[in-house]
């Protein structure tokens, strides 16, 4: 019986503490003061203060800045407060410190969770979005470290308890982490995926691809125009992506093998589990072999029924930036005890190869073209190099408003940052590529 209890407490204790249905977790909180959550440079993002009468208050010094990713621990738990609950309520304090605590009848301090988040980048991403609705994700593709994750509208985690009713019924779904849980049509960012599929289906032919864009393409009664009434004329494969030529990509879409396209989408983690410690929405690739020309054209240009989150598009971009290999994304860099000594450390590891190294290199070149002479040229001529893809996704019959997308990377030779941005209901003036530029300018200042 003794052995069972020890096994149960040691081996199963993580499950016990994290289970929202288990009242025993409260008894851990009776012995331990919840630990701190820190940014990658040790800046405190969440801490518990203890008043003289023993009252504990969870504080978030940066207010709404880390609302969705760090989360909250009142009224249930969300974000890292939920994911790291076990570590925060475990004390690996040195024996003598614990002895002293017990002698003085004080609670032990829980361990601190050191995240991969970067305060400056998070602030830059939040400032760049401003009052717009949307999300920004920044990841280091060589390691998988998530450096920034912003979702707007946001809320103040210090006030979750008092504002719960309003937050929970907010018409803008303010508690939703749009970065991982938002589902959007990918718009023209999906042309990167269509380009990969075309390269796979016509390995010999794609470098010679040429198309004469007359501004519109008609097939089986469906007509698709290039964005903004543009006529692109004779375009190569690289030009088609750089100018985001809809008619050229519809032309490509009509040539593709739908079954093969489904396989590629699956390899890029559509209709699959994503590596994520935070809750996320599944991405769906929606094109069936029985679908007609209209669906093929729409899907090829990212305007069909396909749905994806900004986080998932960031992961695909990470694989392109990292020679086809997606590193397992992570938010917790290490866990330290109250004296600052490391208890646990996360090491970068490969999650999955999403594409061949040659395919990743080719896509990266095409995305560099988007910046050097295409729709993301606002990013050219900076102190950093960039590659990427813009997107505009129609989401309703209201043609005046679209979602604006950007996915991209910096330091193209040896990619340093990957960024994914969405702005909901952009009215044409607010562009995701400009938000990305503001974040990157601030980082490389
Ligand atoms: Zn065109």
């Amino acid at each position: 019986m003794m052995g069972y209890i020890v096994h149960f407490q040691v081996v199963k204790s993580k499950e016990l503490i994290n289970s929202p249905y288990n009242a025993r977790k409260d008894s851990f909180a009776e012995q331990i003061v919840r630990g701190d959550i820190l940014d990658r440079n040790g800046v405190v993002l969440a801490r518990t203060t203890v008043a003289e009468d023993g009252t504990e208050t969870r504080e978030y010094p940066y207010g709404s800045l880390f609302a969705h990713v760090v989360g909250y621990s009142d009224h249930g738990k969300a974000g890292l407060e939920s994911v790291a609950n076990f570590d925060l309520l475990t004390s690996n304090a040195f024996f003598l410190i614990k002895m002293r605590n017990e002698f003085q009848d004080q609670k032990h301090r829980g361990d601190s969770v050191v995240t991969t988040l970067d305060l400056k980048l998070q602030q830059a991403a939040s400032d760049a979005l401003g009052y717009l609705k949307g999300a920004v994700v920044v990841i280091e593709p060589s390691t998988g470290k998530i450096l920034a994750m912003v979702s707007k509208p946001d809320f103040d985690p210090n006030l979750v308890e008092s504002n719960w009713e309003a937050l929970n019924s907010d018409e803008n779904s303010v508690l939703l982490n749009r970065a991982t849980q938002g589902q959007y049509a990918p718009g023209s960012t999906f042309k990167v995926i269509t380009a990969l599929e075309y390269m796979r289906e016509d390995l010999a032919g794609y470098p010679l691809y040429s198309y004469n864009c007359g501004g519109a393409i008609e097939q089986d009664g469906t007509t698709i125009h290039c964005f903004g009434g543009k006529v692109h004329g004779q375009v190569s494969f690289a030009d088609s992506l750089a100018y985001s030529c809809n008619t050229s990509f519809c032309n490509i879409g009509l040539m593709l093998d739908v079954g093969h396209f489904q396989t590629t989408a699956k390899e890029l983690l559509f209709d699959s589990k994503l590596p994520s410690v935070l809750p996320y929405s599944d991405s769906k690739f929606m094109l069936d072999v029985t679908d007609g020309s209209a669906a093929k054209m729409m899907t090829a240009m990212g305007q069909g029924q396909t749905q994806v989150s900004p986080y998932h598009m960031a992961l695909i971009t990470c694989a392109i930036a990292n020679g086809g290999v997606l590193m397992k994304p992570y938010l917790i860099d290490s866990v330290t005890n109250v004296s600052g000594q490391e208890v646990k450390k996360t090491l970068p590891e490969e999650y999955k190869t999403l594409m061949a190294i040659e395919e990743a290199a080719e896509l990266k070149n095409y995305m560099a073209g988007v910046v050097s002479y295409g729709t993301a040229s606002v990013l050219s001529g900076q102190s950093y190099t960039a590659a990427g893809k813009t997107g505009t996704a129609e989401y309703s019959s209201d043609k005046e408003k679209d979602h604006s997308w950007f996915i991209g990377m910096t330091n193209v030779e040896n990619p340093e940052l990957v960024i994914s941005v969405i702005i909901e209901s952009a009215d044409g003036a607010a562009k995701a590529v400009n938000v990305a530029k503001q974040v990157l300018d601030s980082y490389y200042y």
Side-chain angles (χ1 to χ4, degrees), residues 10-258:
V10 174
V11 180
K12 294 276 189 179
S13 59
K14 181 167 183 174
E15 282 169 41
L16 269 176
I17 295 187
N18 277 343
S19 166
Y21 303 105
N22 200 305
R24 279 206 48 198
K25 68 181 177 186
D26 293 332
S27 72
F28 279 85
E30 277 166 24
Q31 299 155 24
I32 308 271
V33 177
R34 193 172 182 78
D36 297 345
I37 299 178
L38 310 169
D39 99 328
R40 66 168 170 171
N41 297 310
V43 178
V44 175
L45 308 181
R47 69 173 160 227
T48 295
T49 58
V50 185
E52 264 183 38
D53 66 356
T55 308
E56 293 176 16
T57 309
R58 193 66 169 164
E59 293 179 351
Y60 303 91
Y62 291 91
S64 60
L65 186 56
F66 293 89
H68 296 90
V69 61
V70 168
Y72 51 85
S73 65
D74 287 336
H75 223 105
K77 291 177 176 58
L80 283 167
E81 289 278 33
S82 172
V83 173
N85 194 38
F86 175 80
D87 290 315
L88 295 167
L89 286 180
T90 299
S91 177
N92 282 293
F94 294 123
F95 180 69
L96 286 176
I97 294 179
K98 284 191 168 174
M99 285 281 285
R100 189 193 61 200
N101 288 343
E102 274 158 33
F103 191 70
Q104 296 177 342
D105 200 21
Q106 283 186 350
K107 291 163 83 167
H108 302 314
R109 275 273 166 183
D111 293 341
S112 292
V113 167
V114 183
T115 68
T116 56
L117 296 165
D118 184 285
L119 171 62
K120 280 187 183 163
L121 259 176
Q122 183 84 3
Q123 187 73 60
S126 177
D127 291 349
L129 268 179
Y131 290 103
L132 298 167
K133 269 191 262 178
V136 177
V137 182
V138 183
I139 303 180
E140 187 175 75
S142 60
T143 59
K145 285 180 184 171
I146 299 172
L147 303 177
M149 184 180 278
V150 171
S151 174
K152 297 260 184 129
D154 53 21
F155 58 93
D156 186 346
N158 292 299
L159 305 173
V160 164
E161 186 71 47
S162 48
N163 289 348
W164 183 254
E165 290 304 323
L167 287 172
N168 210 21
S169 58
D170 186 274
E171 62 174 14
N172 287 314
S173 308
V174 66
L175 294 174
L176 185 82
N177 183 353
R178 285 165 158 76
T180 57
Q181 295 173 300
Q183 282 184 312
Y184 305 93
S188 299
T189 59
F190 198 79
K191 286 173 182 161
V192 172
I193 296 167
T194 302
L196 173 64
E197 174 59 17
Y198 182 55
M199 285 160 54
R200 288 180 170 183
E201 285 195 35
D202 193 0
L203 194 58
Y206 84 81
L208 307 169
Y209 175 85
S210 183
Y211 179 77
N212 190 7
C213 165
I217 185 169
E218 192 272 333
Q219 183 79 26
D220 299 338
T222 301
T223 304
I224 308 259
H225 296 268
C226 276
F227 189 74
K230 287 257 169 62
V231 176
H232 294 109
Q234 204 69 37
V235 288
S236 67
F237 192 49
D239 297 340
S240 301
L241 200 74
Y243 302 138
S244 204
C245 177
N246 284 346
T247 60
S248 178
F249 269 89
C250 288
N251 177 56
I252 289 170
L254 290 168
M255 294 190 281
L256 296 177
D257 176 321
V258 172

